[in-house]
Amino acid sequence: MKPEVKAELIAIGSVNIAPILLGRTTIPTAGPGAGKLAFFFNSNGHRVRLGINSDSPLQGKKENGELVIMKDGQEIARGVIEEELIHCPEQAFITMCEKCIFDCKFCPVPKLQGKVKTMDEMLSMIEKAHATGMMHAISITSGVEISPEQEVDRAEELIHKLREKYTVPIGVSVYPTKDSTRRLKDAGADELKYNVETMDREIFNKVCPGGGLEDVLAGLCEGVEIFGRNKVCSNFIIGLGETDESAMKGIEELVFMGVVPILRAASPHPLRKGEAFIERPSAERLMLLIRFLREKLDEYGLRADKFQTMCLPCTGCDLNPHIDM
């Protein structure tokens, strides 16, 4: 699958296909895609996660044991459906808390008000994933039920318990606090993700009224100091009204710090309709920005293909500039 084709699949984000043809499908509980039925499609080692939508311009059909994706009657991609472990293939990706007190206007999680997993539930899920023999990494993320400090406490405890039993890489993504980075590293985490969401300060203040971009950036800077280069990343949503120039400036600011940005296509959700400008970027725009990201990563000696946990090795929702390009 060429990067231009994957970009088009990400830009559309869904396919019209009968769910019965897909086997086991899942509903994400974290991020802008939360609450939507989805599956993983892999074509020659390039992976993309697609929603199921009867109104999609893409059509899917089974042919000789493969999934064929068509547009305007023409085949654009052919591959296989990948089985998820937890949230993505080959990783036990745990969402500790499916609630959030922050009211980011692009995110459905505060509206969905999901569950808060107990420590025993999370440990049991990971044990079952490990028993399959397919668990290559453990990733931990979370909303915020009561406070960021409480989520850091729980992540720290969970990582300590996991390190007593498992040797696979562990990645963690929570909202940063004044001491979270050191605590998570000392607990045994290998990789860190604090999400900026957008690097446009004006847009951030509108769409993330409860957060603080400068606090996140300070956490990322400290993360590079403590975890090291090619160990710290950040979700950067494209499609919240930022210009290409603004996005490129933000990309370079993060890369200069030693952080690898993950360019995530904005995903409009019906639960957030009318609350903010959200427009899924075109394939052309994604390619423009991912090429720029690749250029800057190479310039500053960073590698998006060195990560072992969370979104960068999964590649389902994003173009990885060193795997997909």
Side-chain angles (χ1 to χ4, degrees):
M1 181 164 53
K2 293 181 178 179
E4 292 81 4
V5 172
K6 180 170 176 177
E8 185 169 14
L9 296 180
I10 291 173
I12 295 170
S14 64
V15 62
N16 179 10
I17 189 170
I20 195 171
L21 296 178
L22 301 174
R24 188 173 74 90
T25 53
T26 62
I27 299 177
T29 59
K36 297 179 181 179
L37 198 64
F39 68 97
F40 282 93
F41 171 73
N42 192 308
S43 177
N44 294 321
H46 296 277
R47 177 186 293 147
V48 63
R49 186 173 201 161
L50 293 167
I52 300 170
N53 181 0
S54 60
D55 294 325
S56 173
L58 301 178
Q59 292 78 43
K61 66 176 184 177
K62 282 289 189 71
E63 186 177 283
N64 299 324
E66 293 184 306
L67 177 62
V68 179
I69 297 179
M70 316 277 290
K71 185 181 181 185
D72 299 327
Q74 299 294 317
E75 178 181 325
I76 64 170
R78 177 184 293 262
V80 297
I81 297 164
E82 279 194 284
E83 183 78 11
E84 294 182 36
L85 192 55
I86 300 177
H87 188 66
C88 67
E90 301 179 342
Q91 294 189 51
F93 207 138
I94 300 292
T95 303
M96 298 191 302
C97 170
E98 299 167 15
K99 299 180 178 183
C100 197
I101 61 171
F102 293 127
D103 192 27
C104 295
K105 303 303 181 183
F106 54 81
C107 183
V109 170
K111 303 285 189 180
L112 292 168
Q113 286 295 303
K115 70 177 294 183
V116 179
K117 298 180 181 69
T118 68
M119 191 63 59
D120 285 344
E121 284 177 323
M122 294 186 288
L123 292 172
S124 176
M125 291 171 69
I126 293 168
E127 174 57 37
K128 289 177 182 177
H130 180 257
T132 67
M134 297 186 294
M135 188 180 80
H136 296 168
I138 299 169
S139 297
I140 300 161
T141 189
S142 189
V144 180
E145 181 190 13
I146 296 171
S147 71
E149 289 78 12
Q150 184 186 69
E151 300 306 328
V152 172
D153 289 344
R154 297 218 312 143
E156 181 184 36
E157 180 184 359
L158 177 58
I159 294 166
H160 270 303
K161 290 181 180 294
L162 294 173
R163 270 290 164 247
E164 294 173 358
K165 190 168 185 179
Y166 306 108
T167 59
V168 297
I170 297 176
V172 59
S173 175
V174 291
Y175 193 87
T177 66
K178 65 178 182 179
D179 59 356
S180 57
T181 305
R182 173 52 64 189
R183 288 171 58 192
L184 295 169
K185 177 64 174 176
D186 289 347
D190 298 290
E191 295 175 351
L192 181 73
K193 178 152 72 83
Y194 293 145
N195 293 329
V196 295
E197 312 300 4
T198 178
M199 287 294 287
D200 187 303
R201 269 70 172 177
E202 184 177 345
I203 292 174
F204 185 95
N205 291 335
K206 292 178 181 178
V207 300
C208 296
L213 180 55
E214 301 310 320
D215 291 338
V216 177
L217 292 172
L220 288 167
C221 187
E222 182 183 47
V224 175
E225 292 175 2
I226 292 175
F227 279 77
R229 293 167 64 81
N230 295 320
K231 297 289 186 180
V232 181
C233 57
S234 184
N235 282 4
F236 185 152
I237 299 172
I238 303 298
L240 298 179
E242 74 291 329
T243 64
D244 289 343
E245 291 75 17
S246 171
M248 289 176 179
K249 181 180 177 181
I251 288 168
E252 185 151 21
E253 183 177 346
L254 289 170
V255 172
F256 179 77
M257 293 167 54
V259 175
V260 176
I262 301 165
L263 302 188
R264 177 67 46 86
S267 180
H269 197 285
L271 291 177
R272 286 298 192 176
K273 188 175 181 179
E275 294 192 45
F277 178 90
I278 305 174
E279 181 179 78
R280 202 165 183 91
S282 67
E284 293 75 19
R285 187 175 191 216
L286 287 172
M287 288 301 298
L288 172 72
L289 293 176
I290 207 72
R291 287 190 180 107
F292 180 82
L293 173 58
R294 169 67 186 262
E295 175 186 318
K296 290 302 170 183
L297 291 174
D298 290 348
E299 180 181 339
Y300 287 94
L302 294 172
R303 297 289 305 189
D305 56 352
K306 294 293 186 182
F307 287 75
Q308 298 178 286
T309 70
M310 299 183 286
C311 300
L312 283 167
C314 173
T315 74
C317 299
D318 322 283
L319 283 155
N320 183 306
H322 289 118
I323 294 176
D324 293 312
M325 299 293 285

